[in-house]
Coordinates of all heavy atoms in Angstrom, one line a residue:
R410 N 97.6 79.7 91.5 CA 97.3 80.2 92.8 C 97.1 81.7 92.8 O 96.2 82.2 93.4 CB 98.5 79.9 93.8 CG 98.7 78.5 94.0 CD 97.8 77.9 95.2 NE 98.3 76.7 95.6 CZ 99.1 76.4 96.6 NH1 99.4 77.4 97.4 NH2 99.5 75.3 97.0
A411 N 98.0 82.4 92.1 CA 97.9 83.9 92.0 C 96.6 84.3 91.3 O 96.0 85.3 91.7 CB 99.1 84.4 91.3
T412 N 96.3 83.6 90.2 CA 95.1 83.9 89.5 C 93.9 83.8 90.3 O 92.9 84.6 90.3 CB 95.0 83.0 88.2 OG1 96.2 83.2 87.4 CG2 93.8 83.5 87.3
A413 N 93.8 82.8 91.2 CA 92.7 82.7 92.2 C 92.6 83.8 93.1 O 91.6 84.4 93.4 CB 92.9 81.4 92.9
V414 N 93.8 84.3 93.6 CA 93.8 85.5 94.5 C 93.3 86.7 93.7 O 92.6 87.5 94.3 CB 95.2 85.7 95.0 CG1 95.3 87.0 95.8 CG2 95.7 84.5 95.9
V415 N 93.8 86.9 92.5 CA 93.4 88.1 91.7 C 91.9 88.0 91.4 O 91.1 89.1 91.6 CB 94.2 88.2 90.4 CG1 93.6 89.3 89.5 CG2 95.7 88.4 90.7
R416 N 91.4 86.8 91.1 CA 90.0 86.7 90.7 C 89.0 87.0 91.9 O 88.0 87.6 91.8 CB 89.7 85.2 90.3 CG 88.3 85.0 89.6 CD 88.2 83.6 89.2 NE 89.1 83.2 88.1 CZ 89.0 83.5 86.8 NH1 88.0 84.3 86.5 NH2 89.9 83.1 86.0
E417 N 89.6 86.7 93.1 CA 88.8 86.9 94.3 C 88.5 88.4 94.5 O 87.5 88.8 95.0 CB 89.6 86.4 95.5 CG 88.7 85.9 96.7 CD 89.6 85.3 97.8 OE1 90.2 84.2 97.5 OE2 89.8 86.0 98.8
K418 N 89.5 89.2 94.2 CA 89.4 90.7 94.3 C 88.9 91.4 93.1 O 88.7 92.6 93.1 CB 90.8 91.3 94.7 CG 91.4 90.7 96.0 CD 91.1 91.6 97.1 CE 91.8 91.1 98.4 NZ 91.4 91.9 99.5
A419 N 88.8 90.7 92.0 CA 88.6 91.3 90.7 C 87.3 92.1 90.6 O 87.2 93.1 90.0 CB 88.6 90.3 89.6
G420 N 86.2 91.6 91.3 CA 84.9 92.2 91.2 C 84.9 93.7 91.7 O 84.3 94.6 91.2
K421 N 85.7 93.9 92.8 CA 85.8 95.3 93.4 C 86.3 96.3 92.4 O 85.9 97.5 92.5 CB 86.7 95.3 94.6 CG 86.1 94.5 95.8 CD 87.0 94.5 97.0 CE 86.4 93.6 98.1 NZ 87.4 93.6 99.2
V422 N 87.3 95.9 91.6 CA 87.9 96.9 90.6 C 87.4 96.7 89.2 O 87.9 97.4 88.3 CB 89.4 96.8 90.7 CG1 90.0 97.6 91.9 CG2 89.9 95.4 90.7
G423 N 86.5 95.7 89.0 CA 85.9 95.5 87.7 C 87.0 95.0 86.6 O 87.0 95.5 85.5
L424 N 87.8 94.0 86.9 CA 88.8 93.5 86.0 C 88.0 92.6 85.0 O 87.1 91.8 85.4 CB 89.8 92.7 86.7 CG 90.8 93.4 87.7 CD1 91.8 92.4 88.2 CD2 91.5 94.6 87.0
S425 N 88.4 92.7 83.7 CA 87.9 91.7 82.7 C 88.6 90.4 82.9 O 89.7 90.3 83.6 CB 88.2 92.4 81.3 OG 89.6 92.3 81.1
E426 N 88.1 89.4 82.2 CA 88.7 88.0 82.3 C 90.1 88.1 81.7 O 91.1 87.4 82.3 CB 87.9 87.0 81.4 CG 88.4 85.6 81.5 CD 88.4 85.0 82.9 OE1 87.7 85.4 83.8 OE2 89.3 84.1 83.1
Q427 N 90.4 88.9 80.7 CA 91.7 89.0 80.1 C 92.7 89.6 81.1 O 93.8 89.1 81.3 CB 91.7 89.8 78.8 CG 93.0 89.9 78.1 CD 93.0 90.9 77.0 OE1 91.9 91.2 76.5 NE2 94.2 91.2 76.4
E428 N 92.2 90.7 81.8 CA 93.0 91.3 82.9 C 93.3 90.3 84.0 O 94.4 90.3 84.6 CB 92.4 92.5 83.4 CG 92.4 93.7 82.5 CD 91.7 94.9 83.0 OE1 90.5 94.8 83.3 OE2 92.2 96.0 83.1
I429 N 92.3 89.5 84.4 CA 92.5 88.6 85.5 C 93.6 87.6 85.1 O 94.5 87.3 85.9 CB 91.2 87.8 85.8 CG1 90.2 88.8 86.4 CG2 91.4 86.6 86.8 CD1 88.8 88.2 86.6
V430 N 93.6 87.0 83.9 CA 94.6 86.0 83.4 C 95.9 86.7 83.3 O 96.9 86.1 83.8 CB 94.1 85.4 82.1 CG1 95.3 84.6 81.5 CG2 92.8 84.6 82.2
E431 N 96.0 87.9 82.8 CA 97.3 88.6 82.6 C 97.9 88.9 84.0 O 99.1 88.6 84.3 CB 97.1 89.8 81.8 CG 98.4 90.5 81.4 CD 98.2 91.6 80.4 OE1 97.9 92.7 80.9 OE2 98.3 91.5 79.2
N432 N 97.1 89.5 84.9 CA 97.6 89.8 86.2 C 97.9 88.6 87.0 O 98.8 88.7 87.8 CB 96.5 90.7 87.0 CG 96.4 92.1 86.4 OD1 97.2 92.5 85.5 ND2 95.5 92.9 86.8
G433 N 97.1 87.5 86.8 CA 97.5 86.3 87.5 C 98.9 85.8 87.2 O 99.6 85.4 88.1
R434 N 99.2 86.0 85.9 CA 100.6 85.6 85.5 C 101.6 86.5 86.2 O 102.6 86.1 86.7 CB 100.7 85.6 84.0 CG 102.0 85.2 83.5 CD 102.1 85.2 82.0 NE 103.5 85.0 81.6 CZ 104.2 85.6 80.7 NH1 103.6 86.5 79.9 NH2 105.4 85.4 80.4
Y435 N 101.4 87.9 86.1 CA 102.3 88.8 86.6 C 102.5 88.6 88.2 O 103.6 88.7 88.7 CB 101.9 90.2 86.3 CG 101.9 90.6 84.9 CD1 101.1 91.7 84.4 CD2 102.7 89.9 84.0 CE1 101.1 92.0 83.1 CE2 102.8 90.3 82.7 CZ 102.0 91.3 82.2 OH 102.0 91.6 80.9
V436 N 101.4 88.3 88.8 CA 101.4 88.1 90.3 C 102.1 86.8 90.7 O 102.9 86.8 91.6 CB 100.0 88.2 90.9 CG1 100.1 87.8 92.4 CG2 99.4 89.7 90.7
G437 N 101.8 85.8 89.9 CA 102.4 84.4 90.2 C 103.8 84.4 90.0 O 104.6 84.0 90.8
I438 N 104.3 84.9 88.8 CA 105.7 84.9 88.5 C 106.5 85.9 89.4 O 107.6 85.6 89.9 CB 105.9 85.2 87.0 CG1 105.3 84.1 86.1 CG2 107.4 85.4 86.7 CD1 105.9 82.7 86.3
G439 N 105.8 87.0 89.7 CA 106.4 88.0 90.6 C 106.6 87.4 92.0 O 107.6 87.6 92.6
A440 N 105.7 86.6 92.4 CA 105.7 86.0 93.7 C 106.9 85.1 93.9 O 107.6 85.1 94.9 CB 104.4 85.2 94.0
V441 N 107.1 84.2 92.8 CA 108.2 83.3 92.7 C 109.6 84.1 92.8 O 110.5 83.7 93.5 CB 108.1 82.4 91.5 CG1 109.4 81.5 91.4 CG2 106.9 81.4 91.7
K442 N 109.6 85.1 91.9 CA 110.9 85.8 91.8 C 111.2 86.5 93.1 O 112.3 86.6 93.6 CB 110.8 86.9 90.7 CG 110.9 86.3 89.3 CD 110.9 87.3 88.3 CE 111.0 86.8 86.9 NZ 111.1 87.9 85.9
Y443 N 110.2 87.2 93.7 CA 110.4 88.0 94.9 C 110.8 87.2 96.1 O 111.7 87.5 96.9 CB 109.2 88.8 95.2 CG 109.4 89.8 96.4 CD1 109.9 91.1 96.1 CD2 109.0 89.5 97.7 CE1 110.2 92.0 97.1 CE2 109.2 90.4 98.7 CZ 109.8 91.6 98.4 OH 110.0 92.5 99.5
A444 N 110.2 86.0 96.2 CA 110.6 85.1 97.3 C 112.0 84.7 97.3 O 112.7 84.6 98.3 CB 109.7 83.8 97.3
D445 N 112.5 84.5 96.1 CA 114.0 84.2 95.8 C 114.8 85.5 96.1 O 115.8 85.4 96.9 CB 114.1 83.8 94.4 CG 115.5 83.1 94.1 OD1 116.5 83.6 94.7 OD2 115.5 82.2 93.3
L446 N 114.4 86.6 95.5 CA 115.3 87.8 95.5 C 115.2 88.5 96.9 O 116.1 89.3 97.2 CB 114.8 88.8 94.4 CG 115.1 88.2 93.0 CD1 114.4 89.2 92.0 CD2 116.6 88.2 92.7
S447 N 114.2 88.3 97.7 CA 114.1 89.0 99.0 C 114.9 88.2 100.1 O 115.1 88.6 101.2 CB 112.7 89.1 99.5 OG 112.0 87.8 99.6
T448 N 115.5 87.0 99.7 CA 116.4 86.2 100.6 C 117.8 86.5 100.1 O 118.0 86.5 98.9 CB 116.1 84.8 100.4 OG1 114.7 84.5 100.7 CG2 116.9 83.9 101.4
S449 N 118.7 86.7 101.0 CA 120.1 86.8 100.6 C 120.5 85.6 99.8 O 120.2 84.5 100.1 CB 121.0 86.8 101.9 OG 122.3 86.7 101.5
A450 N 121.1 85.8 98.6 CA 121.4 84.7 97.7 C 122.1 83.5 98.3 O 121.8 82.4 98.0 CB 122.2 85.2 96.5
S451 N 123.0 83.8 99.3 CA 123.8 82.7 99.9 C 123.0 81.8 100.7 O 123.5 80.7 101.1 CB 125.0 83.3 100.6 OG 124.5 84.1 101.6
R452 N 121.8 82.2 101.2 CA 121.0 81.4 102.1 C 120.0 80.5 101.3 O 119.6 80.8 100.2 CB 120.2 82.4 103.0 CG 121.0 83.1 104.0 CD 120.1 84.0 104.8 NE 118.9 83.4 105.4 CZ 117.8 84.1 105.7 NH1 117.8 85.4 105.6 NH2 116.8 83.4 106.2

Side-chain angles (χ1 to χ4, degrees):
R410 294 275 194 98
T412 304
V414 170
V415 172
R416 192 179 296 282
E417 210 176 292
K418 300 265 184 185
K421 291 180 184 173
V422 280
L424 296 183
S425 67
E426 182 60 26
Q427 185 184 345
E428 285 176 307
I429 291 170
V430 170
E431 190 174 82
N432 287 354
R434 183 179 169 220
Y435 294 156
V436 171
I438 295 302
V441 170
K442 288 183 175 181
Y443 187 84
D445 192 323
L446 294 169
S447 59
T448 306
S449 169
S451 59
R452 288 176 51 202

